[in-house]
């Protein structure tokens, strides 16, 4: 885990702010924070135009991307950590299998996956987000889009990815993981493999889901079948290739 660095710059959509221009809140925060009883009447309708612009920009940029896989993992992964090398391997093998690689565009695991894809000659995509403690897209992103709103960005992940691979990560990785699980469980996404890489890291969570959630009847056994747990990048990539084959056969 890296120590928090002093904030000297931030990305605000397409705008980069530094020094005296830094803001102390994000666009998402200002949208979601409670304010006076009538403030929303004067501000929120105008926000719709900015939100619409983010969707238009995302759809326009990614419409011709082709088959792509989203790779998630911690922004705090150091470059000499085994998880970094694993993510780089993952990005490279996905690219050589004919997939574009989409990440959150940040440092750590995301940077490694983008690096692997770019060096393998594939399309390396980064979907950045305005955050007070990150400074924009990593240098291995070949196609980058910066978002102000999490929900617009998350739509791009699920719309333009054919599967998710999650390496060890934190709250953001869990957020994307369970969003994908919900969409697959409810039939919003079909033929959509979800793979967790790292048995030592993820097994405890899956055990809790099986023993507590399933044991108490809060989920079904088939819900757990939606997740594949592995230590093998080759297996993870192979599942994405097989899902692509099934999808193409269905549309033949």
């Amino acid at each position: 885990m890296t120590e928090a660095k002093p904030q000297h710059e931030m990305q605000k959509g397409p705008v980069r702010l530094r020094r005296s221009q830094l803001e102390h809140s994000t666009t998402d925060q200002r949208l979601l924070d409670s304010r006076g009883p009538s403030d929303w009447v004067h501000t929120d309708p105008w926000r719709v135009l900015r939100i619409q612009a983010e969707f238009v920009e995302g759809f326009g940029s990614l419409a011709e991307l082709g088959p792509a896989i989203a790779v998630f993992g911690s922004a705090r992964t150091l470059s000499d950590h085994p998880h970094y090398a694993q993510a780089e391997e993952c990005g490279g093998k996905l690219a050589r299998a004919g997939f574009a690689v989409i990440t959150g565009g940040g440092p750590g695991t995301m940077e490694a996956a983008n690096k692997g894809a770019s060096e393998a000659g594939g399309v390396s995509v980064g979907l950045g987000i305005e955050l007070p403690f990150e400074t924009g897209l990593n240098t291995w992103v070949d196609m980058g889009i910066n978002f102000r709103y999490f929900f617009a960005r998350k739509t791009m992940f699920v719309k333009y990815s054919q599967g998710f691979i999650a390496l060890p990560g934190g709250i953001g990785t869990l957020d994307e993981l369970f969003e994908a699980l919900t969409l697959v469980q409810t039939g919003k996404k079909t033929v959509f493999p979800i793979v967790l890489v790292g048995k030592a890291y993820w097994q405890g969570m899956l055990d809790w889901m099986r023993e507590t959630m399933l044991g108490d009847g809060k989920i079904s056994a088939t819900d757990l079948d939606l997740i594949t747990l592995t230590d093998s990048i080759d297996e993870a990539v192979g599942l994405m290739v097989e899902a692509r084959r099934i999808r193409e056969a269905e549309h033949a």
Side-chain angles (χ1 to χ4, degrees), residues 90-251:
C90 184
K93 288 184 173 179
L94 285 169
R96 285 187 286 274
F99 292 106
V101 172
I102 306 177
T103 78
T109 298
M110 294 174 282
E111 174 188 285
N114 285 133
K115 179 182 179 183
S118 183
E119 289 190 332
V123 180
S124 171
V125 180
L127 306 181
I129 184 67
E130 176 190 334
L131 292 174
F133 46 80
E134 289 186 16
T135 58
L137 301 172
N138 68 69
T139 58
W140 292 101
V141 169
D142 300 323
M143 178 192 297
I145 308 172
N146 279 302
F147 292 88
R148 289 181 170 91
Y149 297 101
F150 263 113
F151 54 84
R153 176 185 185 239
K154 290 169 77 172
T155 298
M156 302 306 149
F157 275 121
V158 298
K159 178 171 175 58
Y160 293 104
S161 298
Q162 294 186 354
F164 280 14
I165 296 177
L167 284 85
I171 292 173
T173 302
L174 291 176
D175 179 43
E176 299 293 353
L177 168 64
F178 283 102
E179 171 124 4
L181 280 173
T182 301
L183 292 172
V184 176
Q185 181 204 42
T186 56
K188 304 296 185 182
K189 293 287 286 186
T190 58
V191 195
F192 193 83
I194 300 170
V195 180
L196 302 180
V197 176
K199 290 182 178 180
Y201 190 86
W202 295 111
Q203 188 65 64
M205 182 187 75
L206 295 180
D207 288 344
W208 175 79
M209 292 177 68
R210 182 172 293 104
E211 295 167 8
T212 303
M213 298 178 77
L214 178 60
D216 201 35
K218 300 299 188 290
I219 60 173
S220 301
T222 53
D223 295 333
L224 292 172
D225 294 336
L226 300 175
I227 307 170
T228 299
L229 177 63
T230 184
D231 283 324
S232 170
I233 295 296
D234 286 334
E235 181 181 359
V237 173
L239 288 167
M240 304 299 152
V241 171
E242 176 62 14
R244 180 178 60 190
R245 185 195 65 76
I246 294 171
R247 187 179 294 105
E248 290 173 349
E250 290 179 345
H251 291 86

